Amino acid sequence: MTNDPADRKEASARNETAPSSLRERKKRATRQRISDLATALFVERGFDQVTVAEIARAADVSAMTVFNHFPRKEDLFLDRIPEAVELFTEAVRRRGPDESPLAALRRLVLTLLEQHHPLSAVGDRFPGFWRIVVDSPALRARAREGVEEVEEALAAVLAETAPDLADPRLVAALTVAAYRTVYLTSATRLLAGERAADITDDHRARVDAAFDALERAVAGLRDG
């Protein structure tokens, strides 16, 4: 064992960090397992027909543990809302020095499209998910709240990182509304039976058109 104080401090930091990291990994794994089991039950029986108690039994945890990971039952299914908030805010926060917030957000949503990420709307496996949401008033209401959460977070990060922006709250509202429109258009087409491969190019074109319009609108705010 070393007597060097610096070595002891480094060893102590490792000892403190490792358990914490292990706890976080276990916590994430438990959260994912609960969400996956809940989703399977929702797909099989419908969202409103499954109780949190049933989900807890399937995951072999207490109902309190379920609520520790997911404040509301709806969050078990719509578990990507925090991810959406993080992705949109971090795209703005971590943008390049010469990159505008809207350019960073455009880059993000086009990257999501290339990855066939659920937040892109374009993927052949997504319609089943949306049908469950459409069939549940509670899920539809939570989805609307999730959109509002993204908008609020985006407005806050724009105000923080883009001081020259004329109206961060308005820009956030316009951006979220524009992307929501693009998303819902593609989702509706997939629900109607079209394939992802057949709408990808159109989705990309509508994303570019939406952000072109947003760029003009933001310029108009600044000039006005």
Side-chain angles (χ1 to χ4, degrees):
M1 180 180 293
T2 178
N3 290 321
D4 189 315
D7 289 344
R8 288 201 302 272
K9 183 176 180 181
E10 182 179 348
S12 176
R14 284 199 302 270
N15 289 336
E16 291 175 1
T17 301
S20 175
S21 177
L22 178 59
R23 283 194 297 271
E24 285 301 313
R25 289 199 298 273
K26 287 183 176 179
K27 183 177 178 181
R28 287 195 298 269
T30 299
R31 185 182 192 276
Q32 189 62 54
R33 182 166 60 87
I34 293 170
S35 177
D36 290 345
L37 288 168
T39 298
L41 289 171
F42 296 149
V43 169
E44 178 184 350
R45 293 166 47 197
F47 179 81
D48 296 324
Q49 283 66 51
V50 178
T51 67
V52 171
E54 290 175 297
I55 294 165
R57 285 196 297 272
D60 196 24
V61 298
S62 68
M64 182 62 71
T65 297
V66 174
F67 283 121
N68 283 341
H69 289 278
F70 301 93
R72 288 187 274 181
K73 177 186 170 185
E74 292 79 11
D75 294 329
L76 284 156
F77 196 66
L78 298 173
D79 60 339
R80 289 189 183 272
I81 291 173
E83 181 184 3
V85 170
E86 181 178 6
L87 284 171
F88 277 77
T89 55
E90 287 303 296
V92 173
R93 193 183 305 280
R94 298 180 182 277
R95 68 187 187 277
D98 298 321
E99 189 175 32
S100 72
L102 288 179
L105 290 167
R106 185 198 298 248
R107 177 167 50 82
L108 168 66
V109 299
L110 289 175
T111 298
L112 294 176
L113 175 63
E114 294 303 320
Q115 295 172 345
H116 302 291
H117 192 285
L119 295 174
S120 76
V122 181
D124 289 324
R125 68 186 187 279
F126 303 152
F129 172 89
W130 296 324
R131 288 190 185 97
I132 294 173
V133 175
V134 169
D135 289 341
S136 169
L139 285 175
R140 294 200 305 272
R142 181 67 184 107
R144 287 192 294 269
E145 290 179 358
V147 172
E148 292 171 0
E149 289 173 24
V150 173
E151 182 181 319
E152 289 290 329
L154 187 56
V157 76
L158 288 172
E160 174 190 341
T161 67
D164 296 335
L165 208 58
D167 191 334
R169 183 168 292 278
L170 178 57
V171 172
L174 291 172
T175 302
V176 171
Y179 187 57
R180 179 176 178 272
T181 300
V182 173
Y183 184 104
L184 289 178
T185 299
S186 291
T188 300
R189 291 177 64 179
L190 288 170
L191 280 168
E194 293 189 62
R195 304 289 295 177
D198 296 329
I199 70 170
T200 296
D201 289 344
D202 187 54
H203 182 94
R204 184 182 295 106
R206 286 184 291 108
V207 166
D208 281 328
F211 276 93
D212 288 346
L214 287 168
E215 294 279 6
R216 291 192 297 271
V218 170
L221 289 172
R222 185 174 56 247
D223 296 340

